[in-house]
Amino acid sequence: MFRIKKILRKPEAFCLFVTLVLFLIIELQSGQFFTLNNLTDLLAAYIVPGIMAMGCLVVFISGGLDISFPALGSMGVYLTLTVFQDYTGTPLLPFLFTIVVCGLLGAFNGVVVAKFRFAPLIVTLATESLFWGVLHGIMEARMISVLPACFKGLQETFLWRATNPENGISSQLPCVFLILIAIIAIVAFLLYKTCYGRKIYAVGGNVASAENIGINVFGIQVSAYIISGICAGVALLCRSLIMGNYHPNAAYGMEFNVIAMVVIGGCSLSGGKGTILGTVLGVVLIQTMNNSLNLMNIPTYWQKFATGTIMIIGISMTAYRTLRESRQLSGVMRKSEAVTTASEVK
Amino acid sequence: MYGDVKKERFMFLSMLKKHYYYLVLVISLLAVCVVMSFVNVNFLTIANVVSMLEQMAEYALMALGIMLCIVAGGIDLSTMGVANLVAALSALTLLRYFPEGCSSGALAIGLIVTLLGSICIGLLCGLLNGILITKLGIPAMLATMSTNYVYTGICMVLTEGASISGINTMFVKVVNWKLLGIFPISAIVFVLCTVMIALLMRRAPFGTKLSMIGTNPKATRMAGLKNDKLIIRTYMICAALSALAGFIMLGRLSSARADYGKSYSTQAILIVILGGTDPAGGKGKVLGLAIASFIIQAITTAITMIPNATSYLKNVVFAVLLLGIMIYDWYRAKHKHG
């Protein structure tokens, strides 16, 4: 009984509960939710924010904050698509190129934050402005409507195709869904099964004590930003593959959505906390909602307001719980302090 | 006698050292102006300076509010949302109740009603921000980011995604009125607000308490200060200033839209940091902020005057400036402490 209570108290349980309720509401409203083609569409919609959220999660756990990743990814993908314009070999090479470029850009973020110990919000706000500025002002990015030929195979491979028997609408699951699963697996392995992952948690929990036990704080923080950059680049390249085109402003303003997903999943902004499961549930919750506003007959103009309100409610639930827990904790500490001082007096 | 001279020189030096930062800011402002007047002869004409003053007031007012939040250890990213929301509401009110061609008396009432209404709505938005941050414990950045989403969303509903135009031309004239034909009313409002905030920070207990909260919130709570109340008030002031900015924006552009001024938020934060406010909280400089807003406006105008330059170049310059100034400050602080 006690164990169940403990599980129920976790943010993941809350997230799961809200997601299930949301599923039910959408189903009751539209009757279209549990159709195969809608579920396929949803799975396809999770790909981009899901990959981004994994990078964001790592930065959050390390005690940092990155809001520049959509700009960073857009820049990296634009570079890749222009460099490999006429390339017809294996699609692996462009992916590697994106990973290297976005990793380097992420490293820039990380070095500035970790070396000077600046507020990460201000630094990434500045680099976001920098990346958008360079993308539009210096590289003069335009929409690319024809992707390099090397991606043709990836674009035309689908894992499965589902057709709605009622209205004949069919939807397919692109094969880049496998990349999402691979990235989740890699990040989960890094965080839970390696020493490196424990170090990320340690740095996020308390920088000073992490430094004292001999962890290379600078390296860990920089690596977290690199992972965030790589994830953003891969995510936006996947987006281009799914959509079949590239638009420089496609990811504009996406950072807020992704951060909200990670936070609703129980990750704290002060670092050291956060789970893969929670983040995945957060992605499912927010992205399902974003995708289903049409199914629920919410007018277009109201959608931004609706998403914002639900995000505030979700974030405040998580935040309020941590606030209450910390208050309870400080209450316990005060009691124990009183006991120790009393025993000292004796 | 010799000693006096020496003492005076020391005083001058110490004054210089104390206000060193302002000196750097003023020199860089002059440098931008001189360089730009070589590039384009029209840069230092009265007409151009006046138009610069007009544009400046909007995000400089937001920067004032954001500075208060940063001093208190938080940040406000919802300023643009508040400004656009207020602008849309005022525009709708003016359109419905004080349309084109209403009497000047009615217009005066309309002006006062919309101005007061704007500030009240601003205060309400700030109250919501403050409550989310203090009572629910959401980090300031997340809370204001999500309320920005909500305010923009409400604005979207009000404007139905289009821009509201066709508001009373007399209203536009009044808001764009210039004292002696030179000083735009928006710049005067900005100066008044700057003086008020400077007094609040320097001469009132509020400023000291705010700095203390920004430095160590736990200590102030132990010392018996009501942190929550103070922080809520700070966000209310910030949102009221943003509302004022939105009102002025409505007058200048004579239309309202949900996505005006996307880059203003970054710009305002840049002004605050450039002005010498510590991003980690606890220290604010109002005068530095005023000079910094001149510099930023000068650079913005300069970039629009350079031929073949897109407005996105502005973002690059701002980002490099922001990072540069922070790194420069870091080296100075390191040097000072050895």
Side-chain angles (χ1 to χ4, degrees), chain B residues 258-269:
Chain B
D259 54 0
Y260 272 148
K262 265 184 181 168
S263 64
Y264 274 12
S265 208
T266 322
Q267 215 157 314
I269 293 170

Side-chain angles (χ1 to χ4, degrees), chain A residues 201-215:
Chain A
Y201 275 99
V203 169
N206 192 334
V207 177
S209 26
E211 212 158 42
N212 282 345
I213 59 170
I215 293 174

Side-chain angles (χ1 to χ4, degrees), chain B residues 41 75 84 119 150 170 198 207 216 220 227 236 241 273 291 306:
Chain B
V41 195
I75 196 163
N84 279 329
I119 292 176
V150 171
M170 276 297 284
N216 192 339
T220 49
N227 283 10
M236 283 171 81
L241 285 169
I273 309 294
I291 305 173
I306 296 173

